[in-house]
Amino acid sequence: MPRTQIAYAAPDLSALARSLRDQLTRLGQTPSHVQMLNMLARAAGHANFQALRAGTIPRATEAALPPADEKRALRAAGYFGADGRLKSWPARTNLQALCLWVFWSRLPRGTSFSEIGISELLDGWHDFGDRALLRREMVDHRLVQRTPNGSDYRRIEQKPPAELAVMLAAIGRAR
C-alpha cells in the first residue's frame, strides 16, 4: 500500500527544535516511530499526528507571537509606490520576505492558478518585470504551493507576521 504524503511546515525552526528537545527529555528513552510522528506534529502546533494528517489548523503555540517590528515593516512598505505596486526588489532578505507577504495577502483563498494565471497577477503588482523570481520566492518562502510540474499554484493558508498589518496600512495610506 503506497504511503500518503503529508505536507509538514513549522513556522519557527528554533521553536520546533526546542519543542522536540523538551519532548524527548520528558520521554527519557528512544521514541518509537509513532511517538516521533506525534512529537513532530506537536512541535509544529498540531494536537498529534492524526490531527496533522487530517489537515486541522495548528493550535496556538504556547509562546505569544512577537509584536510587529514597525520600523522594518515601514522600511519594506517603502518599496511599494503610491499605486500599491512593488517598485524594486529589496536587497535584504528579511525585507523581501515582508514584500512577499503583501502579495500573499492579495491572492484569493482557495483559488487555483496556472503558472500563466499567477504570473499575470504578479505582473499587476510589481514594476521590475521578474515574475519568475516572485513565483519562485513565494514557493521557497512557503507562501504558495505548486505542483511539481508547475501547472497549479495555490496560496498556503497560515497566520501572517504582525508586520503585514503595518505594511498594508502604510501602503493604503500612500494611495
Side-chain angles (χ1 to χ4, degrees):
M1 181 172 168
R3 290 187 186 181
T4 304
Q5 291 187 356
I6 300 168
Y8 181 85
D12 182 357
L13 188 60
S14 178
L16 173 75
R18 190 176 313 112
S19 175
L20 286 175
R21 183 199 62 214
D22 293 346
Q23 290 180 67
L24 286 167
T25 301
R26 281 194 303 270
L27 189 60
Q29 63 187 17
T30 304
S32 69
H33 179 73
V34 173
Q35 287 173 317
M36 193 66 193
L37 288 173
N38 284 327
M39 286 179 190
L40 285 166
R42 282 191 298 269
H46 297 273
N48 55 34
F49 177 68
Q50 290 300 323
L52 169 66
R53 189 171 173 194
T56 59
I57 298 171
R59 62 179 187 242
T61 56
E62 292 130 25
L65 293 174
D69 181 346
E70 281 194 45
K71 185 177 177 183
R72 186 172 140 239
L74 293 174
R75 194 172 321 134
Y79 282 87
F80 288 83
D83 57 359
R85 295 168 56 96
L86 185 63
K87 298 300 179 188
S88 64
W89 188 239
R92 303 185 117 209
T93 306
N94 67 350
L95 297 179
Q96 292 171 0
L98 286 179
C99 291
L100 291 173
W101 275 104
V102 172
F103 293 157
W104 174 88
S105 74
R106 294 175 179 174
L107 288 172
R109 295 176 186 204
T111 303
S112 177
F113 297 95
S114 66
E115 185 173 314
I116 292 170
I118 198 162
S119 293
E120 288 173 350
L121 277 176
L122 292 171
D123 284 346
W125 298 337
H126 79 285
D127 289 334
F128 56 89
D130 199 345
R131 59 168 65 167
L133 167 84
L134 295 172
R135 280 194 323 267
R136 195 171 38 252
E137 289 295 321
M138 290 187 77
V139 170
D140 289 348
H141 282 84
R142 302 208 34 83
L143 299 175
V144 171
Q145 65 184 14
R146 73 177 192 109
T147 55
N149 66 1
S151 65
D152 182 62
Y153 287 78
R154 191 176 297 264
R155 170 177 141 160
I156 297 173
E157 295 306 321
Q158 57 193 300
K159 184 165 179 63
E163 287 83 2
L164 180 60
V166 175
M167 287 185 67
L168 293 175
I171 294 167
R173 281 193 303 269
R175 288 182 160 189

